[in-house]
Amino acid sequence: MTEPLGNFWTAVVNGEKKQLRIAQTTRLVDVLRTQLSLTGTKVSCEVGRCGACMVLMDGEPVNSCLVMAYQCVGSEITTIEGLHGEKEGELHPIQQAFVEEGGFQCGYCTPGMVISTKALLDRYPQPSQEQIETGLCGNLCRCTGYGGILRAVKKVIDEQDRMGST
Amino acid sequence: MLLNRESSGKRWHLRPDGVGKVTGKLQYLTDMTLPDMVHGRVLRSSYPYARILSIDITGAEAMEGVLAVLTSKDVPGLNLFGIATPDQPVFCEHVVRYVGDAIAAVAADSPERAAIALDAIRVEYEEWTPLDSPEAALAPGAPELHEHGPGNVLHRTEIKRGNVDEGFATCQHIVSETYYTPRQMHAYMETEGGLFVPDENGRLHVYAATQHGYKDRMQLARIIGCSEEDIRVVSSPIGGSFGGKDELNVQPYGALLALRSGRPVKMHNSRKESVRAGLKRHPMKIEMQTGISREGMIQAHRVRITADTGAYATLGAPVLNFCTEHCLGPYSIPHVDVEGVSVYTNNGVSGEFRGFGGNQAIFAMEGQMDRLAEIMDMDPWEFRRRNMRGKTDPGPLNQRILVTDGLSQVWEAMDRSELWQKHQHPPANPASPPWIKRGVGAAIAMHGAGLGYGIPDPAGGRLSLNAEGKIEVAFSYEEFGQGLIATLEMMLCDLFYCSTSDLSIVIGDTDRVPHSGSSTASRSTTMAWMALQRLQTPFRSKMLSVASALSGIPSDELVTGPGGIWLRGKSTESKAEKIAMSPVITEVVGERTSGSSESFNDTSDTVDNAALISGLVVSYVDLAKQGKSEEWIFDTQFEYPTTPDNVVGGHYLYTYAAVAAEVEVNTLTGEAKLLDTRHVVAAGPVINPMGFIGQIEGGSVMALGFTLTEDALMQDSRYMTTNLDTYLIPTIRDIHTNLEVEAIENLPEGDPFGPRGIGEIGSVALAPAITAAIHQATGVWVNRLPVPRDQLIKPLDVSLQKGVSST
Ligand code: FES
Ligand code: FES
């Protein structure tokens, strides 16, 4: 039930402080999609298997269908809407690479996939194939066969490589 | 041409829906909300098969926050749905036939309240023993699940030619095998749902995924008992479908609840509910007997197909037709005896799924081919070539089909490929331990496109210059991820040499698009292309003649281009001449022979030249201001091309594919891993390479799941695998990172049908290629999918089993 328990939930979502009156047992995915209208975070399996609901919580990738509101009080949450390039309104290089390499089809897994890629590259700027597979195996995609996704990830890595070496 | 980003050059076209998808800004229909909306939920059956004794909704109705509770009594029109055979109740009244059957629906002011209200509905049942397999359903004395019998047979098919007994009598070798295929789940990432909004004028706006908005509208009007015009269906964008959202799913409930409550109703299935209620691929048992002469020519082929269609028909009959047609493969066989039966059971409902029954058939037929080749001690590819149908032979149903070279082209391309060459010298990896084995296999397929003879398959489209001065194209096709919008953009740019900013593409909204048929059976690309072929000339002449009247320049000196009408540039004259024909087809058929990518479709160069040499005469915006807006609208209606011969379900257009796979098997764990694949696809000119690769890669990985891991297991007609934690679709770890796509683009000269759809062809022939590779690696003939791991585990050394050391 969404009856308020009397206390507030607060967190920083995409850089903005949010305060809501919600049951603390609400799932983070519902806080985002329903309370905050951030529908870029998708919902698909609700058991932590598909990664469609992936967001960053204090920089770490989490399945927002498995996180309860009380578990992220005071955290910093980044959803797909919080990702952008150097300037707001520009695509993040990961997003840009997904567009250029066709790393999506229906696009429903894409926000989660982009978030997981961000977490992967934040941790390992030059990941091995093994690290890429580990980093993304929690995100299911039914459309692309992952080919375009892998090409997009490799493109970002190559680009970072180029920037680093110049 | 090996298709990739580099070889595609300028045709690597970024999708217009890309930015919305990577930023999460694109709203899917299940993301939509309205401030005063309520939440709908469906009560489904507690048993797979039972009589309903009573339904008591009073408790639920009395609950605070509940706006509507509906049962079968509340369906004003027809309490049934189903695209082909409407036999699935919106709400069951007396009997439930599977665990997804709906009994009631509620709308409440929060999802939680809706769930509690569902719990408050009391249903009393008399539980019956479910018919949990086709065998049980066909057993004498089995109860009949539907009145429209006979028995529990939904549909029977047969193909008989020659005399199969005599045929077998002449055979040197006969292979008999029974093949089993799984209940595969579509597993689209976006589960079913949407928003249902009644407006002040009494119209209902349905925002829910479907592959055919008009069909949904027709069915909903029938259920509600209103006219079709009272309903608007908006049905794109969709988070994946693969055939699984072609039938109505949540729509009847959302619509009825919205009308009853007078409020917008949001529905969104949980994954568990989606598994329970949603369609699956037909599990099939295919028994095959195939006999060959001493020379290795197939003489006789006997096939018995049993398909489990589940509780309701949906497209079970057409799927069986398709399977029957495709279980002869692309081979000439004099004596044929095929019988198929699709059987009602109390299992989950089987329906349309990418490949449409071809996957099952091709797995079985190609399995036979490999087994026969081995008996002959012959190269399996050469064995196929010997038996392949000739270019001008009739199709599998003895029907006339379009003559193309597709089959021999894909055969030859695969024969030459490095991957298939490895088959001659079974690859061993010296670095691997001895229990890791490798093998290479290949398979070939011809796959029908369109719905087939005798099934209404109307198409059409609209081209107009809209009031904003955009070239607008409107179709009733849907974007479920396949890249239709990008493909349409490219077709229009090819035709008019315009830029993407000159275009407006309208799909997926029955208020705004003409009836152009369903997005199914790999038909949308071909139908859109054919519609544009018909519309382009009148549309272009109209633009040029109005531009000519405005400018005083003769219209034959004008061409369409970016932003408007241009003076034809001298140096581009020869190219511009061709505008009246499709540049794509002209160049592929007429000019391109060597397989080089450069000469193909570099239309943007032409446009640049035209822009440099000539000048813009009149903009599309100014053109649109001339005359009445209706004068700028051009419509066409036609039918999908079918064979002239009277064979129901028989196809006329086919696409062809050959697939090779290299597989590594761990004989200690039974795990098979796909290492490398090559798909050769002959489907005519590649309009949209990014989309083409994506469809083949996606179809291939879906087929990988079909082959190795996916099965929605049922026990006593209840799902054992209810979510993506136990139903295992491939992850990025499981895929073959080497996946090459080779496109063969030739079409017969003057071919009027253009590019063929490729939505299914990538998914139909991988399974037999993998199982052939497994055979080469291990010696095991797999006849059941997903491949049972225990069959691949090498038995322990017999002496060790006996407890004796083997020293
Ligand atoms: S919805 Fe959260 S992991 Fe699938
Ligand atoms: S693009 Fe559709 S699920 Fe990944």
Side-chain angles (χ1 to χ4, degrees):
Chain A
M1 301 284 262
T2 46
E3 255 93 82
L5 292 187
N7 47 357
F8 285 104
W9 178 82
T10 57
V12 177
V13 180
N14 297 333
E16 261 180 61
K17 195 155 180 213
K18 296 284 178 192
Q19 197 173 48
L20 298 170
R21 275 176 87 95
I22 47 165
Q24 298 295 315
T25 49
T26 311
R27 300 178 307 176
L28 176 56
V29 66
D30 295 323
V31 177
L32 297 171
R33 282 178 61 85
T34 312
Q35 309 291 320
L36 299 174
S37 301
L38 294 170
T39 54
T41 300
K42 302 302 178 194
V43 57
S44 183
C45 72
E46 306 178 73
V47 295
R49 184 60 199 94
C50 74
C53 65
M54 200 70 78
V55 300
L56 299 178
M57 180 172 151
D58 298 323
E60 289 296 316
V62 295
N63 297 108
S64 63
C65 67
L66 297 183
V67 175
M68 297 292 146
Y70 73 84
Q71 291 175 299
C72 52
V73 170
S75 298
E76 248 189 72
I77 310 287
T78 305
T79 71
I80 188 72
E81 289 91 346
L83 225 60
H84 52 75
E86 270 173 33
K87 288 194 226 109
E88 219 162 310
E90 280 177 9
L91 292 183
H92 188 278
I94 295 173
Q95 293 170 319
Q96 184 66 35
F98 268 71
V99 173
E100 283 176 20
E101 296 296 332
F104 63 90
Q105 287 183 17
C106 82
Y108 204 77
C109 71
T110 312
M113 202 64 86
V114 169
I115 290 284
S116 289
T117 306
K118 169 92 169 71
L120 167 76
L121 297 181
D122 283 350
R123 178 174 289 195
Y124 309 107
Q126 295 297 320
S128 61
Q129 177 71 19
E130 172 72 20
Q131 285 165 333
I132 295 173
E133 288 181 13
T134 308
L136 297 185
C137 73
N139 291 75
L140 299 178
C141 174
R142 191 55 153 173
C143 304
T144 62
Y146 306 99
I149 294 169
L150 273 171
R151 289 190 286 275
V153 174
K154 298 225 162 99
K155 183 185 177 95
V156 183
I157 300 167
D158 287 352
E159 222 115 277
Q160 281 179 353
D161 216 14
R162 256 206 0 246
M163 306 286 267
S165 62
T166 49
Chain B
M1 165 175 60
L2 205 57
L3 210 57
N4 54 39
R5 186 182 174 146
E6 287 68 46
S7 69
S8 305
K10 287 178 179 144
R11 290 199 71 83
W12 196 256
H13 180 87
L14 303 192
R15 287 175 65 147
D17 50 351
V19 171
K21 285 179 174 173
V22 300
T23 55
K25 294 215 172 73
L26 180 81
Q27 274 220 326
Y28 293 81
L29 303 167
T30 50
D31 292 333
M32 297 176 72
T33 55
L34 278 171
D36 57 342
M37 74 179 189
V38 294
H39 300 265
R41 291 284 300 266
V42 178
L43 179 71
R44 299 193 185 271
S45 173
S46 301
Y47 300 101
Y49 191 33
R51 185 143 68 106
I52 300 173
L53 301 174
S54 66
I55 305 170
D56 179 5
I57 58 169
T58 47
E61 279 183 313
M63 287 177 61
E64 194 194 332
V66 172
L67 284 100
V69 184
L70 307 177
T71 65
S72 62
K73 296 187 186 65
D74 303 295
V75 180
L78 182 72
N79 185 28
L80 292 169
F81 64 94
I83 295 181
T85 315
D87 67 351
Q88 179 159 3
V90 176
F91 293 114
C92 294
E93 200 179 346
H94 304 299
V95 176
V96 289
R97 297 184 186 84
Y98 88 117
V99 288
D101 257 334
I103 293 168
V106 302
D109 59 4
S110 73
E112 294 82 0
R113 278 212 168 111
I116 294 170
L118 279 196
D119 280 346
I121 297 172
R122 299 272 158 260
V123 186
E124 274 187 275
Y125 300 89
E126 177 186 309
E127 190 188 351
W128 291 334
T129 309
L131 302 173
D132 62 354
S133 67
E135 288 72 25
L138 292 176
E144 290 195 8
L145 296 178
H146 293 274
E147 281 156 14
H148 52 76
N152 288 308
V153 172
L154 163 67
H155 184 56
R156 284 188 193 278
T157 52
E158 72 173 41
I159 312 174
K160 309 258 174 181
R161 281 209 285 277
N163 181 328
V164 86
D165 288 323
E166 281 174 18
F168 277 119
T170 67
C171 288
Q172 180 83 0
H173 302 287
I174 299 171
V175 161
S176 301
E177 181 73 277
T178 304
Y179 299 85
Y180 300 87
T181 62
R183 190 184 306 280
Q184 192 182 20
M185 184 156 79
H186 300 80
Y188 29 71
M189 281 295 117
E190 184 193 31
T191 50
E192 309 82 359
L195 192 63
F196 301 81
V197 189
D199 73 12
E200 325 65 74
N201 306 322
R203 278 192 96 205
L204 178 69
H205 302 255
V206 172
Y207 300 88
T210 178
Q211 291 182 215
H212 196 175
Y214 275 99
K215 255 295 195 302
D216 275 25
R217 194 178 78 154
M218 181 276 284
Q219 292 201 73
L220 285 173
R222 209 157 62 177
I223 291 165
I224 295 166
C226 65
S227 83
E228 290 191 39
E229 287 66 40
D230 291 340
I231 302 173
R232 171 190 181 197
V233 173
V234 177
S235 40
S236 289
I238 301 173
S241 176
F242 317 111
K245 293 172 183 166
D246 207 7
E247 289 281 359
L248 294 180
N249 42 74
V250 297
Q251 293 92 331
Y253 313 106
L256 292 168
L257 289 169
L259 292 173
R260 173 63 70 88
S261 65
R263 300 265 291 268
V265 171
K266 177 159 180 149
M267 311 278 306
H268 197 171
N269 277 350
S270 67
R271 175 63 62 179
K272 279 191 173 177
E273 185 152 13
S274 172
V275 172
R276 178 177 181 174
L279 302 178
K280 309 288 180 297
R281 191 188 291 291
H282 284 78
M284 289 192 193
K285 173 181 162 190
I286 303 180
E287 301 163 82
M288 275 190 182
Q289 251 181 316
T290 314
I292 50 175
S293 66
R294 189 188 309 273
E295 295 73 37
M297 303 303 290
I298 304 177
Q299 298 303 315
H301 189 47
R302 182 182 281 128
V303 185
R304 297 291 176 265
I305 306 164
T306 312
D308 179 353
T309 206
Y312 299 105
T314 86
L315 294 179
V319 166
L320 182 67
N321 287 343
F322 199 90
C323 180
T324 307
E325 174 183 356
H326 286 73
C327 72
L328 305 183
Y331 306 110
S332 304
I333 312 175
H335 304 284
V336 173
D337 170 6
V338 185
E339 288 175 15
V341 60
S342 190
V343 186
Y344 285 117
T345 65
N346 292 112
N347 292 334
V349 181
S350 309
E352 176 178 343
F353 197 148
R354 190 182 213 171
F356 210 75
N359 322 51
Q360 296 94 320
I362 293 163
F363 165 60
M365 184 58 191
E366 291 297 281
Q368 292 292 94
M369 297 305 283
D370 285 320
R371 284 159 176 76
L372 288 165
E374 181 162 287
I375 288 184
M376 286 293 292
D377 199 17
M378 192 187 274
D379 177 83
W381 211 238
E382 171 57 22
F383 178 69
R384 283 172 172 79
R385 192 194 57 76
R386 284 199 187 184
N387 284 287
M388 257 157 42
R389 59 182 294 279
K391 185 175 165 181
T392 55
D393 287 356
L397 302 176
N398 245 350
Q399 84 278 31
R400 270 172 283 174
I401 69 173
L402 186 84
V403 174
T404 77
D405 271 333
L407 187 60
S408 51
Q409 284 166 336
V410 297
W411 186 93
E412 275 160 28
M414 187 55 79
D415 195 46
R416 282 195 301 268
S417 76
E418 234 173 88
L419 180 53
W420 176 246
Q421 290 302 327
K422 279 194 195 174
H423 180 265
Q424 320 292 348
H425 320 281
N429 183 353
S432 298
W435 56 85
I436 303 285
K437 312 275 188 202
R438 283 192 181 184
V440 175
I444 197 163
M446 67 188 285
H447 202 256
L451 304 185
Y453 183 89
I455 302 161
D457 199 358
R462 176 174 302 152
L463 192 56
S464 58
L465 191 64
N466 72 18
E468 288 87 58
K470 304 265 187 211
I471 297 176
E472 183 168 295
V473 67
F475 289 109
S476 69
Y477 306 131
E478 318 289 349
E479 176 64 69
F480 33 81
Q482 76 279 43
L484 175 67
I485 304 175
T487 300
L488 290 175
E489 263 193 6
M490 298 180 76
M491 284 185 190
L492 287 163
C493 290
D494 283 345
L495 282 180
F496 298 113
Y497 296 101
C498 58
S499 63
T500 52
S501 57
D502 297 323
L503 300 174
S504 158
I505 289 169
V506 184
I507 56 162
D509 182 343
T510 54
D511 273 11
R512 299 181 63 205
V513 301
H515 209 312
S516 39
S518 174
S519 316
T520 192
S522 302
R523 70 192 287 292
S524 307
T525 299
T526 307
M527 291 300 88
W529 188 86
M530 286 178 66
L532 291 175
Q533 289 305 299
R534 286 162 162 73
L535 294 169
Q536 58 153 333
T537 308
F539 182 62
R540 182 184 297 105
S541 326
K542 164 90 181 170
M543 287 199 289
L544 297 186
S545 70
V546 174
S548 166
L550 282 175
S551 62
I553 303 170
S555 57
D556 59 4
E557 286 174 28
L558 298 173
V559 288
T560 58
I565 309 299
W566 295 69
L567 194 59
R568 176 177 294 203
K570 286 227 160 38
S571 73
T572 62
E573 207 148 31
S574 60
K575 282 251 179 191
E577 225 69 88
K578 288 190 192 132
I579 292 176
M581 291 145 78
S582 158
V584 176
I585 300 299
T586 312
E587 293 187 19
V588 169
V589 175
E591 290 175 9
R592 200 150 141 260
T593 47
S594 64
S596 97
S597 59
E598 287 313 309
S599 66
F600 181 36
N601 285 319
D602 43 354
T603 51
S604 39
D605 271 347
T606 320
V607 171
D608 292 348
N609 286 343
L612 283 175
I613 295 160
S614 60
L616 183 67
V617 174
V618 50
S619 70
Y620 294 127
V621 178
D622 288 336
L623 267 192
K625 293 184 187 136
Q626 307 297 315
K628 295 204 199 77
S629 58
E630 308 87 77
E631 292 168 16
W632 287 107
I633 300 175
F634 294 82
D635 275 305
T636 183
Q637 289 286 319
F638 56 101
E639 291 277 322
Y640 194 94
T642 49
T643 171
D645 298 314
N646 177 10
V647 276
V648 173
H651 290 84
Y652 186 56
L653 302 186
Y654 288 82
T655 44
Y656 300 86
V659 183
E662 181 176 3
V663 174
E664 187 171 85
V665 181
N666 181 329
T667 55
L668 293 184
T669 63
E671 185 189 8
K673 171 116 181 121
L674 184 54
L675 302 174
D676 197 354
T677 56
R678 187 181 186 94
H679 287 255
V680 184
V681 179
V686 176
I687 299 282
N688 174 0
M690 186 198 275
F692 195 106
I693 295 172
Q695 284 294 299
I696 301 302
E697 286 180 336
S700 180
V701 169
M702 193 173 248
L704 175 66
F706 173 71
T707 312
L708 294 182
T709 55
E710 294 183 32
D711 195 1
L713 290 173
M714 301 201 92
Q715 196 172 14
D716 303 329
S717 297
R718 289 174 190 273
Y719 284 104
M720 312 305 290
T721 38
T722 57
N723 204 326
L724 301 174
D725 53 348
T726 44
Y727 184 89
L728 302 177
I729 72 168
T731 73
I732 204 164
R733 260 197 189 295
D734 305 311
I735 60 159
H736 32 312
T737 37
N738 267 342
L739 193 160
E740 287 180 335
V741 181
E742 179 172 348
I744 293 175
E745 300 186 82
N746 313 58
L747 283 176
E749 197 143 354
D751 175 275
F753 309 115
R756 319 289 198 246
I758 43 98
E760 296 168 283
I761 192 79
S763 74
V764 296
L766 183 67
I770 291 178
T771 50
I774 287 175
H775 176 71
Q776 192 180 44
T778 63
V780 175
W781 284 122
V782 173
N783 64 348
R784 185 183 288 271
L785 301 182
V787 177
R789 279 194 174 201
D790 52 358
Q791 288 186 2
L792 305 188
I793 296 175
K794 208 172 161 212
L796 288 174
D797 189 295
V798 179
S799 54
L800 282 175
Q801 277 177 337
K802 287 186 185 139
V804 180
S805 157
S806 63
T807 47

